[in-house]
Amino acid sequence: MDPAFLLFVVDKSFKVRLQWSVRIVSNLLSFLHCLFICIKANAQSCGECIQVSETCGWCSDEKFLTVGQPKSARCDDVESLRKRKCDEKNIENPRGNIDINTNKPVTIRNSNTGKLKPEQITQIQPQKVTLTLRSGEAQTFDLKFRRAEDYPIDLYYLMDLSFSMKDDLENVKNLGTDLMREMQAITSDFRIGFGSFVEKTVMPYISTTPARLINPCTGNQNCTSPFSYKNVLKLTNKGDEFNRLVSQQQISGNLDSPEGGFDAIMQVAVCEEQIGWRNVTRLLVFSTDAGFHFAGDGKLGGIVLPNDGKCHLENNMYTMSHYYDYPSIAHLVQKLSDHNIQTIFAVTEEFQPVYKELKNLIPKSAVGTLSSNSSNVIKLIIDAYNSLSSEVILENGRLPEGVSITYKSICKNGVEGTGENGRKCSNISLGDEVTFKISVEAQKCPSHDKPEVITIKPLGFTEEVEVVLKFICDCECAAFGEKNSKDCTNGHGTLECGACKCNEGRIGGQCECSKDEVRTEDLDANCRKDNGTDICSNNGDCVCGTCECKKRENPAEVYSGQYCECDNFNCDRSNNKLCGGHGQCVCRKCVCDANYTGSACDCSMDSSTCLAKNGQICNGRGICDCGICKCTNPKFQGPTCEICPTCPGVCTEHKDCVQCRAFKEGEKKDTCEQDCSYFDLIKVNDRDKLPQPTDQSFPLTHCKERDANDCWFYYTYAIRNGTKEVYVVESLECPAGPDIIPIVAGVVAGIVLIGLALLLIWKLLMIIHDRREFAKFEKEKMNAKWDASENPIYKSAVTTVINPKYEGK
């Protein structure tokens, strides 16, 4: 049997046994942790006990304790209390519960169902739930959501009317009737409104010269005065009225590129009465071709007061733009969510990246690419609405301190989601029903006795689930307690649930000690562990011979134990996490979760990361330590010890033997029988007959090697059931020899052609040179000038004399 295969079997067997051992030890430690957590809590009353853990119970039998046992011994896990002979009727172990107060079923439309009003449609079930919570015990209920058919829609179109949107306004003028017609396929109850915005009416956003305040546009353009936000049309079902009022709108102008759209969005969200929002699906279409100003930009205009998030519309105009700064993105997110408004950003392609980043910050929003003249706005709105309405995302209100909530979604076709994905379901069609499992857990009791109320609702919808939280902070037997009981040392406590609950300033099993009493050495001796010098391990005070552990600023961090020698925060850390995030700190030692070990629970026992491609742990060349291979052979490297830079490889190692046995040639041809009989040879006709990796349940290697004659041969090497097998293709693939005649003819022809080409080029250059020289000669000949003056050697034979006195008379 091959040693590598034997090692693989041994490693696999060892791995299985090790995993089972780790799992057993981990479960045992977890059991022991739960077993002693109740006792270590040192609870002094039934109320304190049941808040330690959901597994803790309190024995209210007055005769339960033996002499010398502390009062905290009444608090233990329920099974231990039974074993300690506490009668079942005396065990206080209250449990939480769920009450469905309002459970109206979701609306299912059929042919007999007429047109319903919005308040008659139910999309979420139940509507009110009361949860009674005990610390550490989660309560889980189902929430159903069904997307209703023919649900009413309110759509408000908010448009940028700066000068760059001039051509867009023309295409929006007929939007009302056209959109009404398109929306008939989605709902029979549709209303539409219109608003516009430009910019704050202060410098440097607009020009404040008198002429520019009247007409901010240059040249002969006729523009209206600048404004911040104007509500042109309240939500209405009259598309013609929308067209008429929008046709009357005029473009305005401003100085800077970003616009004051955030001011307008805030007013649209908070001015519900002026806009006319109903408790239905609310859509806000924000149309612009520019960026936006946000909180802090108002300082450029001397505006420092933060936006108050209130309605300031007078005669449908925003009147406080010069007084309040732009709202922040977080402020807008809060207001849009509070008013259940889903936003569609219809912006030009240039500003797509900006508004897509904004979309990631605003839940239930979408971004569509607006054409340069808004001609595609209707298709954009329909597509964005379908995208928004096909997804449901749950959100909850502010949780009380110490309360946590988790979600699990069961979406279409049974697809489940947990964590953040547990809050949402996608691709929901009309009539589809999805379910969410919602778990609420309290870690501690609130500081008051009043119930808490939280709301859970789908983003963008007005319907919500009201969840009333009640807390179990004390036992039922506490209601029958006897105040100032004589059994509690002269009435210094209340006898409840079988034990004395001491008044403020008193301590002891029967409240016999005062915290202000002088502590003698005898009392302090009871607070020293192993007769040491530290009282209560320096983590508490010795009161009446009993250690009272100190409280820490973080309520989750506690000292515990008879001598306050234990705590749950001083354990080893890994990756800056207590117990590596894979265990619990119990009395300064990490109790690791399953599959983890080590002092800081930083060693994973999962060896799947060490498996090589052949299925062996670390390729049989190393050991798996904390999920990481440590190679024992220095030649091997890599995460699974499979890389060997100096190894010849499987194919190279067996090449000579395969060659000599299959083809009777190669370096081992003479010693083939002695050196190469260690494998079984099987010949096949062609490469397609070779075994394939997908067909085998054992490691298989494909090889391609070349012999001395440059011929290729193909084979596979495998080990099956301890037997080495080699499949080889019986025919060699040899390259064809070169054809000499075409090569020689080509070379000769190439030389001749290159020579002729060089001669032709030389001749052409000489002709060009001669023609240039001749042209130069002709030009110089034409430009030659011949001197036509008299011969300087010639002298005339005639002499002329003139009498100076002669006057011509």
Side-chain angles (χ1 to χ4, degrees), residues 303-597:
I303 303 173
V304 296
L305 286 178
N307 196 286
D308 65 347
K310 296 180 180 179
C311 182
H312 297 288
L313 289 186
E314 294 183 10
N315 296 324
N316 286 322
M317 297 289 290
Y318 180 39
T319 59
M320 301 299 284
S321 67
H322 64 288
Y323 190 74
Y324 289 116
D325 191 7
Y326 302 98
S328 66
I329 295 177
H331 200 181
L332 274 185
V333 171
Q334 176 195 349
K335 292 299 180 182
L336 290 172
S337 176
D338 290 345
H339 295 273
N340 305 307
I341 296 175
Q342 304 177 57
T343 311
I344 301 172
F345 295 105
V347 297
T348 54
E349 187 172 2
E350 178 185 0
F351 288 93
Q352 283 283 309
V354 176
Y355 283 90
K356 283 183 178 178
E357 290 296 328
L358 182 62
K359 168 191 172 295
N360 294 333
L361 301 174
I362 301 180
K364 292 294 282 186
S365 62
V367 177
T369 303
L370 192 67
S371 60
S372 58
N373 58 1
S374 296
S375 58
N376 67 330
V377 65
I378 292 181
K379 183 178 184 304
L380 186 153
I381 293 173
I382 298 295
D383 292 343
Y385 169 74
N386 289 332
S387 174
L388 290 172
S389 59
S390 65
E391 182 178 56
V392 57
I393 304 175
L394 295 185
E395 69 166 358
N396 53 265
R398 185 187 64 82
L399 296 175
E401 185 179 0
V403 175
S404 60
I405 186 169
T406 56
Y407 296 85
K408 178 182 178 181
S409 60
I410 304 174
C411 304
K412 196 173 180 179
N413 299 325
V415 177
E416 296 186 358
T418 57
E420 283 302 311
N421 291 329
R423 291 176 174 266
K424 61 184 179 182
C425 284
S426 303
N427 300 322
I428 301 176
S429 305
L430 288 174
D432 286 344
E433 184 174 292
V434 296
T435 304
F436 296 88
K437 291 188 176 295
I438 303 175
S439 297
V440 182
E441 182 177 348
Q443 299 299 330
K444 62 178 184 178
C445 284
S447 57
H448 55 78
D449 296 332
K450 297 179 181 178
E452 296 278 1
V453 178
I454 61 174
T455 57
I456 302 174
K457 68 174 184 178
L459 280 172
F461 294 84
T462 57
E463 297 178 67
E464 62 183 21
V465 179
E466 180 183 350
V467 182
V468 180
L469 304 180
K470 296 181 179 179
F471 301 89
I472 301 176
C473 298
D474 214 336
C475 301
E476 293 182 3
C477 57
F480 306 99
E482 179 186 350
K483 291 185 177 181
N484 302 322
S485 172
K486 295 180 179 179
D487 294 331
C488 299
T489 312
N490 300 323
H492 287 307
T494 300
L495 183 62
E496 63 178 43
C497 301
C500 286
K501 185 175 181 179
C502 299
N503 297 336
E504 187 68 27
R506 304 295 296 185
I507 198 169
Q510 281 75 39
C511 308
E512 67 274 13
C513 294
S514 171
K515 291 183 180 180
D516 299 329
E517 289 179 356
V518 178
R519 299 169 186 165
T520 65
E521 292 183 359
D522 291 336
L523 290 176
D524 288 346
N526 296 327
C527 299
R528 294 189 181 99
K529 183 180 180 181
D530 300 329
N531 294 324
T533 58
D534 295 333
I535 295 177
C536 297
S537 305
N538 291 327
N539 295 323
D541 299 322
C542 185
V543 182
C544 289
T546 302
C547 284
E548 186 174 311
C549 299
K550 296 177 182 177
K551 305 293 184 182
R552 292 179 59 85
E553 292 183 4
N554 186 351
E557 298 179 353
V558 295
Y559 291 108
S560 59
Q562 182 180 354
Y563 304 101
C564 302
E565 73 278 10
C566 295
D567 62 60
N568 64 349
F569 55 87
N570 270 326
C571 291
D572 291 341
R573 294 176 179 267
S574 177
N575 293 328
N576 203 28
K577 293 181 179 178
L578 194 67
C579 296
H582 301 298
Q584 294 180 330
C585 183
V586 180
C587 201
R588 301 187 178 183
K589 289 186 179 180
C590 287
V591 179
C592 300
D593 297 337
N595 289 334
Y596 285 92
T597 186

Side-chain angles (χ1 to χ4, degrees), residues 620-641:
R621 308 289 183 178
I623 58 173
C624 186
D625 186 10
C626 297
I628 300 174
C629 280
K630 293 184 178 179
C631 305
T632 54
N633 192 328
K635 293 195 302 181
F636 289 86
Q637 304 172 5
T640 54
C641 301

